[in-house]
Amino acid sequence: MNPQSELGEFLRLRRAGVQPEDVGLLHHGVRRVPGLRREELAMLAGVSLTYYTRLEQGLSVNASDAVLGSLARALGLSTDERSHLFDLARPPKKPSRRKAPRPEVARPGTIRLIQAMTGVPAVVLGRLGDVLAWNPLGHRLVAAHLDADSPQSPQTRPNLHRLLFLDPETRELYAQWPEEAARAVASLRLLAGRAADDGALAALVGELTLQSEEFARLWARHPVQNCVSGVKQFRHPEVGDLELCFEVLDSPDGSGHRVLLYTAEPGGPAEESLKLLGILTDSGADAGSAPGVRPGSAARPGV
């Protein structure tokens, strides 16, 4: 991925999303382009039209912090979008020699930690969303139809982005799939701005773009969001509908690994459903074999 062309695309899309009246500009007649014109954004940011045009065309590589900050303010960028703008404008220098990437491995201490969380679904993710490890409840929640041992080998480990867009069973798992898909693409876009020269990332994006029209359409919108917490709506085949909060914890070692944790509101129906899922997991029951549980209906222990 070319950071300069990505920068130009990001600026054009965000410029098109700002209406003149939103920033106090009057306009008359028919406008040939959506959103702000280049000259309008340049004026609002306090830069020359020539300079801004070169920046949007990927011809300027030395934009100052002041210029980038002015553009971010003029476009009304969020904190994540502003960070993304700076990442695109300041791509890291390419190393003189590329080293073959080593297969990612979860830290032993991280694995012990998630295995100790018997009542909390937990998944360890690599930089690009590869599942490096999960505890039994995490596996049962997000991918019970896959082999529990699949994360142990780089050749078999699942990738959450591939599952979300290319695996029908995973798609059915999320009651609000469009929201989940948009969130996934926004997170991947943020990563792409920080690692523009990552060949594995480019390959993943290329694969998903070719195999999923929905991914391609979302990617073209250039959404950006650092999704570290929130709520997910599951439609689990064993325990029915449940709403879980999620938290993403970054590894402190700079590896880019993350731990994805799910919790239920205390005393709510999701807590009971999660307990039932834990009982099924502990009992070793085959996925989908829970007696008396209908997909799409909230279940309770003892049902």
Side-chain angles (χ1 to χ4, degrees), residues 47-296:
V47 300
S48 72
L49 173 60
T50 300
Y51 181 82
Y52 174 75
T53 300
R54 288 178 57 82
L55 190 64
E56 195 172 279
Q57 292 176 342
L59 301 176
S60 177
V61 295
N62 296 310
S64 67
D65 288 355
V67 167
L68 295 174
S70 295
L71 287 171
R73 287 190 294 273
L75 290 169
L77 300 185
S78 67
T79 300
D80 291 338
E81 289 172 329
R82 185 181 187 278
S83 176
H84 185 63
L85 173 65
F86 275 73
D87 287 337
L88 293 177
R90 305 285 172 72
K93 294 182 179 180
K94 296 182 179 180
S96 56
R97 295 183 61 185
R98 290 180 180 270
K99 296 182 179 179
R102 296 180 178 178
E104 292 184 286
V105 179
R107 296 169 58 186
T110 303
I111 296 176
R112 289 195 297 270
L113 176 65
I114 66 168
Q115 296 299 339
M117 297 178 175
T118 54
V120 177
V123 182
V124 182
L125 299 175
R127 296 180 304 106
L128 306 184
D130 290 334
V131 177
L132 305 183
W134 46 27
N135 63 9
L137 191 54
H139 167 243
R140 193 90 180 203
L141 174 67
V142 303
H145 62 294
L146 300 181
D147 191 328
D149 295 330
S150 58
Q152 295 181 10
S153 169
Q155 287 72 40
T156 59
R157 64 178 46 148
N159 177 281
L160 289 193
H161 298 298
R162 287 193 184 94
L163 289 176
L164 186 61
F165 286 96
L166 305 180
D167 180 63
E169 293 192 55
T170 300
R171 186 185 184 108
E172 289 298 316
L173 180 65
Y174 295 99
Q176 302 294 331
W177 187 89
E179 178 182 326
E180 188 68 20
R183 185 158 45 196
V185 173
S187 296
L188 204 56
R189 266 293 188 184
L190 193 66
L191 176 62
R194 297 170 179 170
D197 62 343
D198 191 318
L201 173 58
L204 175 62
V205 170
E207 175 190 349
L208 293 175
T209 300
L210 290 174
Q211 296 190 31
S212 170
E213 292 183 2
E214 291 158 313
F215 178 88
R217 183 170 61 252
L218 286 169
W219 187 259
R221 296 176 185 171
H222 212 130
V224 178
Q225 185 180 2
N226 188 20
C227 303
V228 297
S229 64
V231 176
K232 297 192 181 191
Q233 306 284 343
F234 289 91
R235 184 175 293 123
H236 199 274
E238 294 182 287
V239 296
D241 294 348
L242 66 164
E243 179 180 281
L244 297 178
C245 301
F246 73 91
E247 294 286 337
V248 178
L249 307 180
D250 290 325
S251 177
D253 61 1
S255 63
H257 295 177
R258 293 154 290 154
V259 180
L260 175 59
L261 304 172
Y262 295 96
T263 58
E265 287 290 341
E271 183 181 44
E272 296 301 319
S273 295
L274 197 57
K275 287 179 180 178
L276 173 58
L277 195 63
I279 293 171
L280 295 173
T281 301
D282 293 340
S283 69
D286 291 336
S289 65
V293 179
R294 301 186 309 275

